[in-house]
Amino acid sequence: MGGREATMVLLDENGIRCDGRKVDEPRRIMIRAGGLKNADGSAYIEFGDNKILVGVFGPRDVHPKHMSDTDTGILRVRYHMEPFSVGERKNPAPSRREIEISKVIKEALEPAVMLEKFPRTAVDVFIEVLQADGGTRCAALTAASVALADAGIPMRDMVAAIAAGKVADTVILDVNNEEDQAGQADMPIGYMPSLEKVTLMQLDGVLTPEEYKKCVEVGIEGCKLVYDLQKKALNDKYFGNGDN
Ligand code: CDP
């Protein structure tokens, strides 16, 4: 939260945001299931200007073996940003931020995946951020769920994710990069709509208790919209024209 609001109009007098959206309007979201021939499952997502590719491999043997668990399977997640994915070239070495986001996404996916069905094995999720514009962890989590389903990994539900937030003292849905940098709060939410369970919630910024409740409500409604698009992506691949 950069507090640079004074120099930037994040919400105009007609309630329109810096990219032309209404307060409760998500960015354009396009999800495609499949696409990577060498992966067991894959997905590609465009979430506004975010472009992210996910490949899933497994369940497969764990190397080194001592990392495996005799009682359950393990999920390993790598979130990686291409150096060219952001305006100022990112150092190709893994950053603390990428390590943290990998962990956050892994923990948000774990409640959804029936790892107990695959003792001693690992399911690997590789996330490649090709272009970033705020909200990559939500877009990546959304695509990773579709890629896991595409790989045929048994799941309790898919996790759909989107951020709620606050700009100009107003709660908004789906925070873009400018709003993240100059706005007042950013709250990424991951939610399993069929099970009605939240698996990811973070908050950067300050909210009143009322704003907090509104963000959760708006975020969960947003996740339901994202969920419909996840199901559509899988339907299109498995029951559609079959060209992916
Ligand atoms: O992407 P997300 O909102 O989940 O994570 P963040 O750490 O809050 O980053 C917000 C945005 O900052 C990213 O989506 C990128 O657009 C941008 N960013 C960047 O420009 N350079 C970086 N090295 C990292 C992030």
Side-chain angles (χ1 to χ4, degrees):
M1 303 304 106
R4 285 189 276 113
E5 224 173 331
T7 57
M8 186 180 210
V9 180
L10 289 177
L11 200 63
D12 74 11
E13 64 277 10
N14 302 315
I16 298 298
R17 291 154 70 178
C18 57
D19 57 6
R21 283 183 291 152
K22 300 191 203 100
V23 287
D24 59 351
E25 189 181 338
R27 289 173 282 187
R28 185 189 70 90
I29 301 168
M30 188 284 291
I31 309 173
R32 189 176 76 170
L36 290 181
K37 159 163 100 79
N38 298 326
D40 294 311
S42 55
Y44 172 70
I45 190 166
E46 292 183 2
F47 206 115
D49 283 337
N50 294 299
K51 297 185 181 190
I52 300 173
L53 188 59
V54 180
V56 167
F57 298 81
R60 61 184 182 181
D61 287 348
V62 182
H63 299 289
K65 273 219 155 34
H66 69 84
M67 280 180 67
S68 69
D69 188 327
T70 46
D71 295 329
T72 185
I74 56 171
L75 190 64
R76 298 188 291 202
V77 174
R78 189 189 74 158
Y79 165 102
H80 175 250
M81 257 186 161
E82 298 299 337
F84 56 79
S85 64
V86 285
E88 196 168 314
R89 182 180 179 276
K90 188 209 147 268
N91 187 322
S95 63
R96 279 186 57 173
R97 176 179 168 277
E98 286 168 298
I99 294 165
E100 185 214 316
I101 295 181
S102 300
K103 180 171 183 286
V104 163
I105 293 177
K106 169 180 135 74
E107 289 174 0
L109 286 170
E110 271 169 347
V113 182
M114 295 179 175
L115 289 166
E116 67 278 7
K117 292 200 183 284
F118 306 103
R120 294 188 190 87
T121 66
V123 174
D124 289 302
V125 179
F126 292 95
I127 296 165
E128 292 295 332
V129 179
L130 310 176
Q131 188 170 288
D133 189 44
T136 58
R137 78 195 60 204
C138 290
L141 176 54
T142 297
S145 293
V146 174
L148 283 162
D150 182 49
I153 308 289
M155 293 166 83
R156 297 179 177 83
D157 199 359
M158 282 192 291
V159 184
I162 199 162
K166 178 168 84 158
V167 297
D169 296 321
T170 307
V171 168
I172 55 162
L173 177 66
D174 190 16
V175 180
N176 71 23
N177 191 37
E178 278 176 324
E179 293 169 333
D180 183 29
Q181 300 300 317
Q184 296 161 307
D186 176 29
M187 184 197 272
I189 296 179
Y191 181 69
M192 297 191 286
S194 298
L195 299 179
E196 299 184 4
K197 285 210 161 84
V198 171
T199 71
L200 165 72
M201 182 176 288
Q202 297 184 290
L203 173 60
D204 184 11
V206 179
L207 296 171
T208 64
E210 290 72 34
E211 287 167 347
Y212 169 81
K213 274 194 209 132
K214 181 97 195 280
C215 274
V216 174
E217 257 172 54
V218 162
I220 286 179
E221 285 313 305
C223 288
K224 292 179 187 167
L225 298 175
V226 172
Y227 190 60
D228 287 342
L229 298 172
Q230 290 175 303
K231 287 190 292 187
K232 181 179 180 302
L234 290 163
N235 270 321
D236 284 352
K237 175 171 176 189
Y238 289 98
F239 306 109
N241 58 15
D243 63 2
N244 49 344

